[in-house]
């Protein structure tokens, strides 16, 4: 569950960076059309979605920490009760060593479980990279030389860079008058 939450948090983080980059690149256009509020609202939506996943991830981490603390408290309590019950036969030094070992073991157990969970979370980045590796790669022209499917597409490609318009009519939207009517031209 923690891994899926972290994956979704990472996926929801990408649009934030993309939107920020696009906003910086198109800042003059955004200002020209007066779209600052719309752009800001879209950025806040992306930020809100990412924050929701991040809060979920932090909640899962806290729940894991609480469960580990409870398990370690039970472990230390059992060690303490057992040691006190056997105090006469074990001696004070051995009881102190058992309690200290139980405390160290509980701390090491918490560290190991948290590191294992953190490793699983970080491996989602590797999983995403492997998904990109499985994508089909672009051909390098070998299929065209061998007469493959790209050869048919290449045969349909224009052989020269010429543009011909014959009787072009255009309007901005249905119901409005024509802005271009019967335009005929050839661009060599």
């Amino acid at each position: 569950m923690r891994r899926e939450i972290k994956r979704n948090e990472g996926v929801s983080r990408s649009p934030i960076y993309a939107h920020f980059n696009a906003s910086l690149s198109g800042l003059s256009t955004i200002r020209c059309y007066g779209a600052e509020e719309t752009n800001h609202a879209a950025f806040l939506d992306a930020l809100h979605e990412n924050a929701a996943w991040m809060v979920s991830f932090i909640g899962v981490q806290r729940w894991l920490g609480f469960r580990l603390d409870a398990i370690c408290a039970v472990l230390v309590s059992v060690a303490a009760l057992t040691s006190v019950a056997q105090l006469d036969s074990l001696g004070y030094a051995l009881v102190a060593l058992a309690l200290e070992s139980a405390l160290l073991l509980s701390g090491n157990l918490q560290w190991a479980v948290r590191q294992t969970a953190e490793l699983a979370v970080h491996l989602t980045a590797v999983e995403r990279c492997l998904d990109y590796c499985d994508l089909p790669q672009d051909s390098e022209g070998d299929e065209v030389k061998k007469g493959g499917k790209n050869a048919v597409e290449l045969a349909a490609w224009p052989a020269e860079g010429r543009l011909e318009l014959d009787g072009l009519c255009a309007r901005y939207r249905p119901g409005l008058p024509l802005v271009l009517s019967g335009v005929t031209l050839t661009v060599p």
Side-chain angles (χ1 to χ4, degrees), residues 132-146:
Y132 282 118
C133 290
D134 291 339
L135 291 176
Q137 298 202 0
D138 295 336
S139 66
E140 302 201 10
D142 292 338
E143 293 178 10
V144 174
K145 294 176 189 172
K146 296 176 185 173

Side-chain angles (χ1 to χ4, degrees), residues 30-156:
I30 292 169
R31 287 183 179 163
C32 177
Y33 286 104
E36 293 94 348
E37 293 296 323
T38 306
N39 189 44
H40 187 252
F43 181 74
L44 288 180
D45 287 344
L47 201 60
H48 177 72
E49 184 175 347
N50 180 258
W53 284 111
M54 182 57 96
V55 167
S56 298
F57 180 69
I58 291 172
V60 168
Q61 279 184 315
R62 301 285 183 203
W63 178 242
L64 176 65
F66 174 75
R67 290 189 314 178
L68 287 175
D69 287 342
I71 290 170
C72 291
V74 168
L75 178 68
V76 170
S77 298
V78 168
L81 291 175
T82 305
S83 298
V84 168
Q86 301 294 326
L87 185 61
D88 294 337
S89 62
L90 294 177
Y92 293 108
L94 198 52
V95 168
L97 180 65
L99 289 176
E100 179 64 25
S101 296
L103 285 172
L104 286 175
L105 180 65
S106 67
N108 289 338
L109 173 69
Q110 287 183 4
W111 180 83
V113 169
R114 285 188 175 138
Q115 292 303 311
T116 304
E118 199 66 28
L119 175 67
V121 163
H122 287 299
L123 283 178
T124 59
V126 174
E127 182 181 349
R128 287 171 68 187
C129 289
L130 291 175
D131 288 343
Y132 282 118
C133 290
D134 291 339
L135 291 176
Q137 298 202 0
D138 295 336
S139 66
E140 302 201 10
D142 292 338
E143 293 178 10
V144 174
K145 294 176 189 172
K146 296 176 185 173
K149 69 175 183 177
N150 287 341
V152 174
E153 293 172 4
L154 188 60

